[in-house]
Structure formats: C-alpha cells, structure tokens
Amino acid sequence: MIINRRILTLDEFTIQQLRQFPTATGELSSLLRDIGLAAKRINVEVNKAGLVDILGDAGSVNVQGEDVKKLDIYANNQFMGVLKHGISCAGVGSEELDDVVVFDDEVSNNSKYVVLFDPLDGSSNIDVNISIGTIFGVYRRVSELGKPCTEEDFLQPGVRQVAAGYVVYGSSTMLVYATRRGVNGFTLDPAIGEFCLSHPDIKCPPSGKLYSVNHGNFFQYEEGLRNYINACQRKDKTNGGPYTQRYVGSMVADVHRNLIKGGIFMYPGTIDKPGGKLRLMYECNPFSFMVEVAGGKATDGKQRILDIQPTELHQRTPLFIGSKHMMEELETYYKP
Ligand code: AHG
C-alpha cells in the first residue's frame, strides 16, 4: 500500500501555517478545525437527504421571510455547537437567526473572534440534489477581551475579516478558506473522514469564459447591465466571446466554479428589489474576501463590497464578483 504523505489534512495544514508565526496563539487554527468538524457533520446529513425524512419545510419562516428547511436548522445548530464549545469564538451571527448570539462564558469572553455564517446556502436546491454550501466570515472582535462580545464586533466592514471560507457539498465535498496569505481548498476524503489539501494556493484566472446571472430577471436589470449581458453573448468579442452562461442558483457552487475556472457571477438589484437578494454579511463579504485574495474583484456596481460599512446584520446588496478582467469589462458597460 502506498501512503502519500505529501497530502496534508486541514489540521496539519493549519498547524503548519501557525508555525510560521511564533507569537500566534493558535485560536484561528482551532476555529477552522471546529468549522471543519461542523462541515463534516452537515455533510453526512446532506448526503442522507434523499434517504431519510429530513427533507421539506420545517414549518417556520426565517428572518429573511424565506421558508426554513430542516437541514438549515440542523446546519445552524452544528455550527453554533462547535463554535460555542470551542476556544476561539466569542459569539456568532447566523443568516437563520434574528440577532447575534453572544456566548457569555469565561472561555468565550476571552476569545478573540466572532463568526458570521450562512449555515446552508442554496437550500431550495436540496430537494433536487443540486450542490449547496456553507459560507463563513471570521472577524477579530473590537470590544474588550474578558467581556461578552457586542454588536459592534459583528457590524464591521468585510475588509476587516481575518479569514473567510465556504464548504460546497457537491460531487465531492470541499472546504475552501482564505486568510490574507492565500486561498486553499481541501477535499473531503470519505475513507478517512478528513479534509485533504487538494487545491493549494488558488488563484482566480484573470479572464474567463463563464458568466452567471439569473436571466429570468433580465428585463428587471438596468440598461447598462443588459448591454453587458448581451455583449457576453456576442461572437464579435475581442476577448474570446461569446461567453458560456452557467447558473446553478446556488451561490456557493456558482462562485466556486468561477473562482477555479475564471468567470463572473452577478446578482444585481432589480426594479422590484433594488438591493438585490444576497446578504452582505453572510454571503457577499466572505466571498469578496476570498476572491480578492485570489486576485479577483467584487463590487456592488458602485463600490468595493469589502468597504461597505454595514448598518444592520441582515442587509442585502447587489453583487458582481469574479475574474479581474471580466469585472473591468463589466465596468465599461455598467456605471450605476
Ligand atoms: P436559497 O438559500 O433561498 O436557495 O437562496 C440561494 C441564493 C444564492 O445561493 C443563489 O445564488 C441565489 O439565491 C439564487 O437566487 P435566484 O433564484 O433569485 O436566482
């Protein structure tokens, strides 16, 4: 039997990174390990979703006014559980909960980080066996250590994230996370139950051929944006068009694909919903951080997503994100 010791597990990788900073406390590594554990537990349930009676609405409506699926609740509880019992997290904000949860105990009050997460994004796809995901952003708290964390710790612009990541439950399950030092992807090896480094130092290709947008909303978009989408479909493009349209309707899958292959993902504002659909804190900030670290760009059409000062936990924003040159091309058509 050949044992490939060149493959690092998530834990080995984070410890290796930690050793490069002699003064580091290991809290971030520990946090990522906790998140990896929650992801593995959620993965088991996602894989069983077609087999057991876990499908369907749990009968409640979340703070966004959307139906809550049972797996959403399960995923939310797993994340809350590992973060509350870990040593690194002072409190959490979840897309599924109205308010932040402050873990007011001695260990948590002395923890440096807070985490914002969307436990199961794209959950309307569960019933039809399409990829879904978990998204998270980690912030260093600004309130005094030793005391419970406060709302101020959560309402920080995305640029202050120290790490962000996602898990995609797809044909295989992957955890991808970024710190300022780089983006790395780990694929779950079900035989050993470990995330193994499979995509080291991910870079978003500066150009690509994929564009992702909900075409059903086309006539709800502003004119400049409609012109750009039309241009994506033309043969006379100097940069290799026409592009290929790909849209799963599950942001984690869509942005993951474009991050690896090169592309642009757009969820613009519409006439009915000028603020768009996606949540700044749970979806847009983590992905914007990762894509920027990988060399791409992310804006709301007017400004960098990571510079937006949030005013409320559940606010929405239009989002344009992806390969640098494609984003620059969009900006020549669309100036809201
Ligand atoms: P949900 O979790 O309610 O399924 O929403 C998914 C999000 C995001 O992941 C995806 O990109 C977007 O909503 C799709 O929205 P549209 O169906 O409006 O295109």
Side-chain angles (χ1 to χ4, degrees):
M1 182 188 188
I2 299 167
I3 298 175
N4 186 350
R5 284 310 300 159
R6 289 172 59 206
I7 294 179
L8 289 176
T9 66
L10 175 64
D11 287 358
E12 288 170 332
F13 180 82
T14 54
I15 288 166
Q16 205 178 70
Q17 298 287 303
L18 182 69
R19 288 208 178 119
Q20 296 175 25
F21 295 94
T23 54
T25 59
E27 276 188 67
L28 186 59
S29 308
S30 169
L31 188 73
L32 290 165
R33 191 166 55 237
D34 294 341
I35 288 172
L37 177 60
K40 282 191 256 184
R41 288 179 177 157
I42 296 166
N43 180 60
V44 170
E45 295 306 315
V46 168
N47 283 335
K48 285 196 300 198
L51 296 171
V52 294
D53 184 26
I54 202 166
L55 284 175
D57 298 348
S60 57
V61 170
N62 75 8
V63 290
Q64 319 290 340
E66 300 155 334
D67 290 339
V68 175
K69 305 285 183 184
K70 286 178 186 172
L71 266 175
D72 289 14
I73 296 171
Y74 178 83
N76 187 62
N77 292 344
Q78 287 307 318
F79 253 73
M80 295 267 294
V82 292
L83 293 171
K84 182 170 171 50
H85 295 111
I87 57 155
S88 318
C89 186
V92 295
S94 164
E95 197 222 328
E96 294 299 333
L97 304 171
D98 289 3
D99 297 312
V100 299
V101 177
V102 176
F103 302 148
D104 186 5
D105 59 70
E106 198 184 337
V107 174
S108 303
N109 290 348
N110 283 294
S111 300
K112 320 198 250 234
Y113 300 111
V114 296
V115 180
L116 285 153
F117 61 87
D118 181 349
L120 214 53
D121 184 68
S123 52
S124 53
N125 285 321
I126 296 169
D127 299 11
V128 284
N129 205 7
I130 289 174
S131 299
I132 49 180
T134 296
I135 313 167
F136 61 91
V138 181
Y139 295 76
R140 194 184 300 276
R141 54 188 287 201
V142 288
S143 58
E144 196 181 329
L145 274 185
K147 297 195 169 155
C149 63
T150 66
E151 196 180 50
E152 198 194 355
D153 296 318
F154 295 91
L155 292 181
Q156 300 190 59
V159 71
R160 299 229 186 103
Q161 287 168 109
V162 294
Y166 61 87
V167 184
V168 57
Y169 310 98
S171 47
S172 50
T173 295
M174 272 190 79
L175 185 153
V176 179
Y177 83 89
T179 62
R180 279 180 206 293
R181 308 186 68 220
V183 187
N184 290 281
F186 302 80
T187 302
L188 184 64
D189 179 347
I192 57 170
E194 292 283 358
F195 283 106
C196 298
L197 181 63
S198 53
H199 295 63
D201 198 19
I202 295 171
K203 301 285 182 219
C204 181
S207 296
K209 292 202 70 164
L210 302 173
Y211 75 102
S212 309
V213 70
N214 185 337
H215 265 279
N217 291 335
F218 184 81
F219 291 106
Q220 295 245 343
Y221 300 146
E222 285 178 35
E223 190 184 358
L225 187 57
R226 294 203 306 269
N227 290 340
Y228 172 70
I229 293 171
N230 283 333
C232 287
Q233 301 166 56
R234 279 203 291 270
K235 265 191 178 154
D236 58 358
K237 288 174 69 60
T238 49
N239 55 357
Y243 296 153
T244 296
Q245 204 269 353
R246 289 282 181 269
Y247 190 73
V248 173
S250 181
M251 184 189 183
V252 178
D254 279 317
V255 181
H256 173 70
R257 181 196 55 239
N258 293 2
L259 173 66
I260 304 288
K261 296 194 167 183
I264 187 167
F265 173 92
M266 300 174 275
Y267 205 108
T270 59
I271 295 167
D272 293 344
K273 292 181 182 162
K277 175 182 181 185
L278 303 177
R279 272 64 57 151
L280 173 67
M281 310 296 282
Y282 309 108
E283 294 165 321
C284 302
N285 272 339
F287 271 115
S288 299
F289 181 86
M290 286 181 275
V291 166
E292 281 201 12
V293 172
K297 283 185 81 174
T299 74
D300 66 356
K302 294 182 182 143
Q303 64 169 325
R304 188 180 175 216
I305 291 287
L306 295 181
D307 287 338
I308 297 174
Q309 173 61 56
T311 51
E312 50 183 282
L313 216 48
H314 294 287
Q315 78 190 64
R316 297 173 195 260
T317 176
L319 176 70
F320 303 89
I321 186 167
S323 294
K324 188 165 177 286
H325 297 162
M326 295 179 88
M327 287 291 293
E328 287 163 359
E329 186 189 15
L330 165 71
E331 285 157 18
T332 65
Y333 285 87
Y334 182 50
K335 297 184 181 78

